Amino acid sequence: MRIIVQLYSLLLLICVPVCGGLQLDVKSKDSICAATQKIQRGIMDYYWGSTPGGIVGMFIQPYYWWEAGLVFAGMLENWYLCDNMEYNSTLYESMIAQTGANYDYIPSNQSMTEGNDDQGIWGLFIMGAVERNFPDAQMGNVPGWLTMAQAVFNTMYARWDSQHCGGGLRWQIFTWNLGYDYKNTIANGCLFQLAARLGRYTGNSTYLDIANETFSWLVDVKFVVLKDEANVFDGAHIGDNCQDIKGIEWTYNHGVILGGCAYMYNATNGDPVWETRLRQILGGARAFFFRNNIMYERACQDNKICNNDQRSFKSIFSRMLAVTSVLAPFTRETIDPLLEASAAAAAASCSGGKDGETCGLDWTTGSWDGYYGLGEQASALEVIQNLLIHTKAPPLTKNAGGTSNGDPGAGLGTPMDNVLHSRLNIGSKDRIKAALITAVCLGLLVGTALWMVI
């Protein structure tokens, strides 16, 4: 069986240039970047933010706000991997337009509908800008990307709900939205991964502690079931104490948890505990979401019932597989063949539409399957461009080339913050400032008291 799989994958690699679809040589940067350039042009067909009547930072309906964060994160990676600056202005404009008045990615246009998972996906996008040294915006009082990522983390962690199911984030932020009584993996997975990435980047162990707490909760509540081929389920309702677990499994849930484990493994210098967890999560990813080494969305693809959101999930899954192979090199021999076969198959699917280069949903058919949309384009983009993941430096850290300006207290004290973050490890400069302010305040109090006595 293994020989058949290898022969099938090899046939796809050879067949792409002659069997239709994008011309792709999986070993050539020029070929990969030329293909992704065409895919991104297809993505921009759905973006009207730069035209009259459009909203900067959002794609046309029916695509939701969160998917913009997902897609732009892939385009930022293309800037990094392919040295492609064509869409830098679009990225800058979108990142600033959607950050919100408090720079925490709760913009006014989403103030009635935004969920924890939505904010989390944008947070991971902005953290990518930090780790890839996408230059901070040089305009007015706009803070650095790191400050914004920290604001997302702080406001998300402020919503940690210990009163139901022993902890965790709810799916929704606002009480009036359907799903406020539901706790799910993607919201908590985003918090887990963002905490892991901030801990690795800043060297602040408190972030890693919170990442560990979040992951442990996911395991305790059985949203993540650790075994050789680990399960990552969707979520459950608080009314049943999170016992009514929705057993459906999605690539994006699995991918976000996988990536978080890879960051924790790297941040802890290869801790055997995180190595074991990473092997288990990767084992599940390989078993559940690949057929003949080609990625597919098992829960909906075969039955042709994937909605607009679900048709984009393979994009972040591809990105997380790739970064895992960098942060945890022992996984590379498993992941590289999966990405190569999937990229070749995705390129073959990009043979539809009037341009003959529109990407499809089902990559296992060897051609376009008739589906098209923003999610299909984004997924093909990420799986193909991540063939270059080992040609560039790993995600940066503050002490290894990172330049973005941060603020560990960002987002605290905003209307959305109702939890005291005494656990946050504030840096030495902040402690000095706090000590000076305290000394001044005490001096004023003492002086006032003496004046009154005299």
Side-chain angles (χ1 to χ4, degrees):
M1 181 64 184
R2 180 174 293 179
I3 294 174
I4 294 174
V5 168
Q6 291 173 342
L7 287 174
Y8 184 80
S9 300
L10 179 61
L11 177 61
L12 274 168
L13 296 181
I14 297 172
C15 190
V16 169
V18 297
C19 297
L22 293 175
Q23 301 299 303
L24 179 65
D25 178 350
V26 297
K27 301 297 184 182
S28 166
K29 178 177 179 178
D30 288 343
S31 177
I32 292 165
C33 292
T36 57
Q37 185 177 31
K38 293 178 180 179
I39 293 171
Q40 285 187 105
R41 288 173 184 165
I43 285 174
M44 295 306 289
D45 287 342
Y46 299 93
Y47 184 70
W48 291 0
S50 56
T51 60
I55 301 174
V56 176
M58 290 187 66
F59 289 87
I60 62 173
Q61 293 182 348
Y63 301 108
Y64 295 119
W65 181 76
W66 80 272
E67 196 164 342
L70 183 77
V71 173
F72 288 137
M75 295 175 70
L76 183 138
E77 281 292 283
N78 190 264
W79 159 79
Y80 181 73
L81 295 171
C82 286
D83 305 299
N84 178 15
M85 300 180 68
E86 182 176 359
Y87 300 108
N88 281 24
S89 61
T90 299
L91 292 173
Y92 272 115
E93 291 166 2
S94 300
M95 294 160 84
I96 299 302
Q98 296 301 320
T99 187
N102 296 312
Y103 300 105
D104 55 6
Y105 288 90
I106 306 179
S108 58
N109 64 320
Q110 297 298 312
S111 60
M112 297 293 288
T113 59
E114 184 172 345
N116 278 305
D117 54 341
D118 304 328
Q119 187 188 21
I121 290 293
W122 274 85
L124 298 184
F125 163 34
I126 301 305
M127 194 65 209
V130 174
E131 295 168 338
R132 297 309 196 190
N133 261 359
F134 193 67
D136 282 351
Q138 303 297 319
M139 49 193 301
N141 296 319
V142 175
W145 308 130
L146 178 57
T147 296
M148 296 184 196
Q150 289 170 314
V152 171
F153 166 79
N154 287 337
T155 52
M156 287 185 71
Y157 188 59
R159 302 181 204 116
W160 186 265
D161 172 28
S162 298
Q163 296 182 1
H164 304 91
C165 308
L169 294 179
R170 297 170 183 256
W171 177 18
Q172 298 297 327
I173 295 174
F174 304 105
T175 58
W176 53 79
N177 283 333
L178 183 67
Y180 184 71
D181 64 340
Y182 191 70
K183 293 191 175 183
N184 61 2
T185 293
I186 190 59
N188 289 280
C190 286
L191 177 65
F192 162 55
Q193 187 180 129
L194 187 56
R197 293 169 74 166
L198 284 168
R200 177 183 177 274
Y201 184 88
T202 65
N204 187 331
S205 62
T206 303
Y207 289 120
L208 301 182
D209 292 341
I210 293 172
N212 191 67
E213 174 188 16
T214 307
F215 185 84
S216 296
W217 178 80
L218 285 163
V219 172
D220 290 344
V221 80
K222 294 182 174 59
F223 290 1
V224 173
V225 180
L226 294 176
K227 53 185 179 179
D228 288 346
E229 295 178 353
N231 297 107
V232 179
F233 298 125
D234 190 75
H237 294 88
I238 64 172
D240 294 304
N241 196 32
C242 292
Q243 297 298 303
D244 64 326
I245 295 175
K246 192 174 182 181
I248 199 165
E249 297 185 73
W250 301 106
T251 54
Y252 84 143
N253 279 333
H254 218 108
V256 169
I257 298 299
L258 177 72
C261 289
Y263 273 97
M264 288 298 288
Y265 170 83
N266 191 273
T268 58
N269 298 312
D271 186 326
V273 172
W274 284 107
E275 178 180 342
T276 298
R277 291 169 175 172
L278 185 53
R279 288 184 185 277
Q280 292 171 324
I281 301 294
L282 180 58
R286 183 181 184 183
F288 304 146
F289 302 116
F290 291 89
R291 180 183 291 145
N292 294 330
N293 274 16
I294 298 172
M295 191 184 302
Y296 77 112
E297 196 65 61
R298 186 178 66 165
C300 65
Q301 186 173 298
D302 289 343
N303 294 328
K304 302 185 185 302
I305 56 173
C306 299
N307 64 27
N308 281 322
D309 285 348
Q310 294 153 9
R311 285 152 63 178
S312 70
F313 288 173
K314 289 182 293 187
S315 61
I316 194 169
F317 184 52
S318 299
R319 191 191 324 150
M320 292 303 139
L321 283 166
V323 77
T324 294
S325 72
V326 170
L327 295 173
F330 72 87
T331 66
R332 183 175 177 179
E333 64 177 351
T334 298
I335 292 172
D336 280 4
L338 300 177
L339 288 179
E340 285 195 1
S342 296
S349 85
C350 296
S351 57
K354 293 180 180 179
D355 59 2
E357 294 171 345
T358 296
C359 301
L361 173 64
D362 187 347
W363 300 342
T364 67
T365 64
S367 62
W368 185 51
D369 63 351
Y371 282 83
Y372 61 91
L374 182 60
E376 286 85 344
Q377 295 295 122
S379 295
L381 171 70
E382 297 231 37
V383 76
I384 292 172
Q385 70 189 17
N386 274 303
L387 296 174
L388 299 174
I389 196 67
H390 299 290
T391 68
K392 293 280 191 173
L396 298 174
T397 66
K398 183 179 179 180
N399 294 326
T403 60
S404 186
N405 294 315
D407 175 6
L412 300 178
T414 65
M416 291 303 305
D417 176 36
N418 54 14
V419 176
L420 294 177
H421 283 245
S422 58
R423 294 178 55 185
L424 279 177
N425 226 348
I426 306 301
S428 58
K429 290 183 180 179
D430 299 283
R431 284 193 288 269
I432 292 171
K433 291 178 184 177
L436 289 173
I437 292 171
T438 302
V440 170
C441 291
L442 287 173
L444 289 172
L445 287 171
V446 172
T448 302
L450 288 173
W451 177 80
M452 291 179 69
V453 171
I454 293 171

